Amino acid sequence: MAEPIINLENINVLFNQTSTAVTAVKNVTLQVNKGEIYGVVGYSGAGKSTLVRVINLLQLPTSGKVEVNGDVLFEKNDTVSKRIGAKDLRVKRRNIGMIFQHFNLLEEKTVLRNVEFALRHSQKKEKEITDRAIRLLKLVGLEDRKDFYPAQLSGGQQQRVAIARALANDPEILISDEATSALDPKSTVQILDLLKRINRELGLTIVLITHQMEAVKQVADKIAVMSSGEIIERGDLVNVFTHPQKELTKELIGTKGELAKAIHLLDKDAIENLNHEEWELVHLTYTGQDVVDPIAATLYKKFDVEVSIIFGNVDELRGTPVGTLFVTLKGDAKSRQNAVDYLKQVGVDVDEYNSKEVIA
Amino acid sequence: MIQWLSHVMPNVVHLGWLGQNGWLTSIGQTLYMTLWSALFGGVVGMIFGVGLVIFDKHGIAENKILFNIFDKIVSVFRAIPFIILLAFIAPVTQAIVGTQIGPTAALVSLSLGVFPFYARQVQAAISSVDQGKIEAAQSLGATTSDLIFDVYLREASSELIRVTTVTLISLIGLTAMAGAIGAGGLGNTAIAYGYNQFSNDVTLVATLLVLILVVIVQLSGDALARATSHSHR
Ligand SMILES: Nc1ncnc2c1ncn2[C@@H]1O[C@H](COP(=O)(O)OP(=O)(O)OP(=O)(O)O)[C@@H](O)[C@H]1O
Ligand SMILES: [Mg+2]
C-alpha cells in the first residue's frame, strides 16, 4: 500500500492586498506518496508555487492542514490552530529539499561552500562536512568545479549545485519549483535525468512544478492540474494524458490543438463528399505496443468499415510510447459501432467526433 | 625648499608639523575622530540597518514594535542637522567624556550624527539581496543568525563596502564641521588659523589634505568592493 509522505488537507492561501484579497490556493487537498514523482502543472498565476511552498511552510496557509512524514506542521480550522515551533520547523525543513527557477545559490560563496552551508547544523565535524559536500558534488558531476563561484558556471551547472545543496541533509522530499524553466533544452534534459536518477537511487519523493509539459511527460508518475488556485484534475500521468477530462487539461497537453489540426487536414472536398450519416472522425490513443498497424485491415475485413488515417504521432510518457491517431471511419452506423467496440476491446482509447461536430 | 615655502606660504610653515596646532597633529585628530566615530557609529548603524530589514513586514524576524522603534529613532536623528546636534548634545558629551571640547568630546556627536545615515545605507544595501536566496537558505533550515551573517551581510558585502565608503567620506565632512566648533583636526585648522586669521594659504592646504584623505578612502573602498564581489564573471 502506497504510503503518503505529504498530506495537504483543505489548504487555503489568501493574500491580503491593499484593495483586494487574492485567493492563491483554494481548498486544495493533495497526497503525495513516498517515492513518487508528482507533477503540478498549470498556467502562470495558477497558484502552483504558493501551494508547494506550503509544504515546508515557506508560505503559511490561511487555513488547512499540512502533514509531512506523519508530523503535523500546521493545522488551522474552526476548532484547532497549531503550528510547529521554529526550531522543529528548521529541523523538518532539512528533510525537505527545494530547488528554484533561478537557482538561488549564494553568489559570494564557492560551490563547495554553498553545499557546506546546508550542512552547517548537521552536528558533523568540519572534515566530514567537506567530505559529504564533495560526495554530493560528485553525484551531480561537478566536483572539479568545487572552488568556482556560481557566476562562473552555466545555468545547468548552477542548478546541479543547487540540487547537491538541496540533497545535503539527505532529505526524503525534493520540491522543484520550475527548476528547468530557465535552462536550455539540453540542460533541461540533463537536470530531469538527474532528478529521475535520484528518485530511483535514493528513493526520493519529488514534487515537480512546471509549466513545461515535456518535463512532466518525461519524469512524473502522477500529475495535478491547477487553475485559479484549485486542482481541477489529477491522477496517473498516462491516464491524465490519454484521458484528459477538463478543457484546460486538453489545452495544456495539446489534445485540443491536435483535434484542430486533424479537422484542418480533413480537406473541404473530402468533407463534402462524405455522406454525413456514414462517417465519423475518431481519435485513437494507445499505449505500449504498436497495435494500430493491422487495425485498418482488420476493421475492413471484420466490420466492413473503411479507415483512412489523417495523421498520427507517437509520444513518450515516462518512457512508455503513447500513440495518437486521427482517422475517419466510413461505414454504416452499426458497423462503425462494432468497430469502435472492437478497438476498445484491444485496449485502444477512442474519442468519437461525429461528422456534424467536425463540420461545425 | 623650506625657504621657498616659507616665502609663498608663511602661515602654513609657521604652524609647524607637531605642537598643539601642527599639521601632523591636526591630521592625526581628523583621523582619530573619523575612525573612532566610524567604529561607534558604524556598529550602531549596522545594528539598526539590519534590524530595519529583519523586523520589517515579511522580514525574517518580522516584529512591528521593534521595527517602529528602530525606524523612529533613525528618522529623528537623521532629521536633526549636525551642527545643531553638536550644540544640543553638549551636556550629554560632558556627562560621558567629561569635557565638551576637543576630538574625544566630538566623538559622541559624530557617532550620533553618522549612525542614522549609515543605518539607512545598510538597510538599502541588504534589502537588495535577492529574496530567493533568503528562501533557499530558509528551505535548508538556516537560523536567523545564518540568514543575517551568511546571506544578508555576506551576499551584500561589496555593496556594504560601497556604502561604508560613502559614509566614511561624509564622516570626514562632519569632522571638519565639528572642527569648526573647537574639536580640532583639519577643519579646525582651516577655520581657526586660516579663515579667521585671513591666512588663505592655511585654508588651502587644509582643504587639499581633506581632499587627499577623501580620495584615498574612495579609491581603497572601490578596490576593496571590487575584490570582494564574485557575483559577476
Ligand atoms: N506574496 C504574495 N502577495 C500577494 N499575492 C501573491 C503573492 N504570491 C503570489 N501571489 C498571487 O497568488 C497567485 C498565485 O501565484 P503563484 O506564484 O503561486 O503562481 P504560479 O502558479 O506559481 O505561477 P508561475 O507559473 O508564474 O510561477 C497569483 O495571482 C499571484 O499574484
Ligand atoms: Mg511559480
Side-chain angles (χ1 to χ4, degrees):
Chain A
M1 185 54 210
E3 191 183 340
I5 186 164
I6 300 171
N7 181 27
L8 303 178
E9 283 176 26
N10 306 102
I11 300 290
N12 284 287
V13 182
L14 260 83
F15 289 114
N16 276 314
Q17 303 300 64
T18 38
S19 50
T20 50
V22 182
T23 310
V25 175
K26 264 182 232 156
N27 207 31
V28 167
T29 295
L30 178 71
Q31 263 103 30
V32 179
N33 293 328
K34 238 190 169 100
E36 260 173 7
I37 301 186
Y38 206 117
V40 179
V41 299
Y43 286 118
S44 185
K48 308 180 297 288
S49 299
T50 309
L51 177 67
V52 294
R53 284 155 40 86
V54 161
I55 298 170
N56 60 1
L57 294 192
L58 280 180
Q59 175 66 54
L60 278 180
T62 312
S63 65
K65 180 175 169 189
V66 182
E67 199 179 334
V68 176
N69 227 348
D71 296 326
V72 176
L73 308 190
F74 180 95
E75 185 166 16
K76 191 169 169 188
N77 54 39
D78 296 339
T79 50
V80 285
S81 176
K82 65 177 175 191
R83 186 177 148 186
I84 188 173
K87 192 157 178 278
D88 292 335
L89 177 59
R90 283 200 295 272
V91 173
K92 200 75 197 170
R93 275 178 175 166
R94 289 176 201 133
N95 194 30
I96 309 171
M98 192 160 183
I99 53 175
F100 307 83
Q101 179 169 5
H102 299 295
F103 327 129
N104 296 342
L105 296 173
L106 298 175
E107 288 171 290
E108 303 296 353
K109 289 188 195 307
T110 61
V111 163
L112 180 66
R113 296 264 179 264
N114 263 284
V115 181
E116 288 179 345
F117 175 72
L119 290 161
R120 164 161 314 175
H121 301 282
S122 62
Q123 329 285 355
K124 289 189 173 79
K125 290 198 197 74
E126 217 169 296
K127 170 96 175 43
E128 290 173 81
I129 287 181
T130 305
D131 287 349
R132 167 130 186 93
I134 288 175
R135 237 180 310 132
L136 285 156
L137 289 172
K138 267 192 194 129
L139 176 78
V140 299
L142 281 175
E143 76 269 33
D144 57 332
R145 300 292 159 97
K146 69 182 172 51
D147 296 321
F148 282 48
Y149 284 90
Q152 298 168 306
L153 302 179
S154 72
Q157 291 171 328
Q158 289 191 51
Q159 195 60 287
R160 283 191 272 155
V161 176
I163 291 173
R165 179 175 74 169
L167 296 180
N169 291 298
D170 264 329
E172 291 182 74
I173 298 167
L174 180 70
I175 299 171
S176 159
D177 189 353
E178 301 279 5
T180 55
S181 301
L183 302 177
D184 59 62
K186 193 165 159 244
S187 310
T188 297
V189 170
Q190 285 175 348
I191 295 292
L192 290 174
D193 282 347
L194 177 60
L195 292 181
K196 220 167 19 180
R197 203 178 95 212
I198 55 187
N199 164 254
R200 224 176 22 231
E201 289 175 9
L202 312 176
L204 210 69
T205 306
I206 300 180
V207 180
L208 187 87
I209 305 174
T210 182
H211 58 253
Q212 298 168 311
M213 283 302 135
E214 286 309 314
V216 286
K217 271 194 204 167
Q218 270 183 51
V219 298
D221 299 304
K222 288 190 184 159
I223 70 166
V225 181
M226 273 191 95
S227 167
S228 309
E230 294 176 278
I231 293 183
I232 56 165
E233 189 160 355
R234 69 178 93 199
D236 175 75
L237 174 84
V238 178
N239 245 326
V240 172
F241 264 78
T242 52
H243 294 96
Q245 301 299 312
K246 294 285 194 311
E247 286 303 299
L248 180 90
T249 314
K250 292 180 186 169
E251 203 176 298
L252 276 168
I253 65 183
T255 317
K256 263 188 138 166
E258 290 196 326
L259 176 61
K261 185 169 150 194
I263 292 172
H264 183 76
L265 285 172
L266 262 176
D267 67 80
K268 283 263 175 316
D269 293 345
I271 292 176
E272 293 295 314
N273 291 338
L274 288 162
N275 177 341
H276 288 185
E277 295 306 310
E278 300 214 86
W279 69 277
E280 67 187 288
L281 174 67
V282 294
H283 174 195
L284 309 177
T285 313
Y286 53 94
T287 50
Q289 310 307 325
D290 190 349
V291 291
V292 169
D293 207 29
I295 274 180
T298 313
L299 294 188
Y300 188 68
K301 252 189 275 167
K302 272 196 170 165
F303 307 104
D304 198 22
V305 168
E306 214 176 294
V307 179
S308 16
I309 294 176
I310 302 166
F311 87 89
N313 73 45
V314 178
D315 216 350
E316 203 172 78
L317 291 177
R318 213 180 53 237
T320 313
V322 174
T324 231
L325 199 58
F326 283 88
V327 300
T328 51
L329 300 183
K330 237 189 290 181
D332 61 62
K334 184 86 183 67
S335 318
R336 293 201 318 260
Q337 190 53 52
N338 288 337
V340 166
D341 287 345
Y342 167 78
L343 286 170
K344 286 182 175 164
Q345 232 175 53
V346 297
V348 178
D349 296 317
V350 187
D351 282 319
E352 300 175 73
Y353 303 93
N354 68 40
S355 51
K356 296 206 181 62
E357 272 178 276
V358 173
I359 292 162
Chain B
M1 174 74 174
I2 296 283
Q3 235 161 25
W4 174 77
L5 262 184
S6 40
H7 185 69
V8 287
M9 295 185 166
N11 307 306
V12 170
V13 174
H14 180 74
L15 284 175
W17 286 119
L18 299 163
Q20 210 191 328
N21 311 317
W23 286 103
L24 281 182
T25 311
S26 48
I27 292 172
Q29 286 170 337
T30 291
L31 290 178
Y32 170 86
M33 287 190 287
T34 306
L35 296 180
W36 282 104
S37 55
L39 186 67
F40 297 136
V43 168
V44 178
M46 179 69 84
I47 291 170
F48 272 76
V50 170
L52 284 168
V53 172
I54 66 171
F55 298 140
D56 200 356
K57 201 159 185 231
H58 304 304
I60 58 169
E62 185 174 337
N63 187 320
K64 216 172 184 164
I65 297 171
L66 281 178
F67 176 80
N68 277 321
I69 294 174
F70 275 41
D71 191 52
K72 294 293 171 306
I73 292 177
V74 168
S75 295
V76 165
F77 276 94
R78 192 103 157 78
I80 305 173
F82 183 63
I83 201 85
I84 295 174
L85 185 70
L86 280 173
F88 184 68
I89 216 77
V92 182
T93 305
Q94 177 81 47
I96 298 178
V97 292
T99 173
Q100 287 189 24
I101 49 168
T104 306
L107 289 185
V108 178
S109 15
L110 284 171
S111 306
L112 275 177
V114 83
F115 100 85
F117 179 76
Y118 193 52
R120 289 293 180 211
Q121 301 267 352
V122 169
Q123 180 187 14
I126 65 181
S127 300
S128 70
V129 171
D130 186 353
Q131 189 58 28
K133 291 180 186 172
I134 299 290
E135 286 208 339
Q138 281 175 324
S139 78
L140 296 167
T143 61
T144 306
S145 93
D146 292 338
L147 293 170
I148 293 175
F149 293 102
D150 279 86
V151 186
Y152 275 133
L153 296 182
R154 186 67 192 93
E155 290 296 298
S157 55
S158 71
E159 195 51 32
L160 284 170
I161 290 169
R162 241 170 247 127
V163 302
T164 304
T165 309
V166 170
T167 307
L168 273 176
I169 287 169
S170 80
L171 193 53
I172 294 171
L174 295 185
T175 66
M177 227 189 281
I181 66 156
L186 290 167
N188 186 44
T189 304
I191 301 289
Y193 307 108
Y195 182 76
N196 290 347
Q197 297 184 6
F198 305 102
S199 309
N200 289 336
D201 55 337
V202 170
T203 312
L204 179 72
V205 170
T207 309
L208 279 177
L209 288 173
V210 169
L211 217 61
I212 290 171
L213 209 58
V214 167
V215 169
I216 291 174
V217 169
Q218 182 73 59
L219 292 180
S220 11
D222 288 350
L224 198 60
R226 236 173 301 126
T228 325
S229 169
H230 296 100
S231 57
H232 300 284
R233 278 162 214 250

